[in-house]
Amino acid sequence: MVLQRGGLIMATLSDLITQREELRYLRAQGTRSVEVEGRRVEYRSDAEMAAALAALDREIAAAQSPGPVTQIRFLTTRGV
């Protein structure tokens, strides 16, 4: 599933994970080209595939991380 936000098309976390696993499999098989959603992508080298995997890993990490802290609550006692 692909979400659209503010004119940008964003993949869901499960889509990103699926893409990463497929790319890892293709890299292990020595495949340099892949067709995704009707578009053909051809990688020139293993380093280019590694860079694509690293980018997917960063996107997955960002999608899994919680948002910024917006509230801090203190609980204090008088020590009695």
Side-chain angles (χ1 to χ4, degrees), residues 6-43:
L8 297 175
I9 296 176
M10 302 175 62
T12 63
L13 179 59
S14 62
D15 289 338
L16 292 172
I17 292 170
T18 300
Q19 289 174 12
R20 180 184 60 187
E21 296 309 314
E22 288 175 0
L23 189 54
R24 280 186 179 163
Y25 174 78
L26 293 171
R27 185 180 181 202
Q29 297 298 316
T31 304
R32 295 287 176 246
S33 63
V34 62
E35 190 166 328
V36 179
E37 297 177 7
R39 296 182 322 170
R40 186 174 179 85
V41 178
E42 189 165 337
Y43 297 96

Side-chain angles (χ1 to χ4, degrees), residues 1-3 10-11 15 34-35 40 43 49 52-53 55-56 58 61-63 67 69-70 72-74 76 80:
M1 173 182 271
V2 177
L3 303 175
M10 302 175 62
D15 289 338
V34 62
E35 190 166 328
R40 186 174 179 85
Y43 297 96
M49 288 184 95
L53 281 168
L56 281 169
R58 285 190 301 273
V69 176
T70 59
I72 299 174
R73 186 174 295 173
F74 292 96
T76 61
V80 180

Side-chain angles (χ1 to χ4, degrees), residues 60-72:
I60 289 168
Q64 289 176 331
S65 68
V69 176
T70 59
Q71 184 178 23
I72 299 174

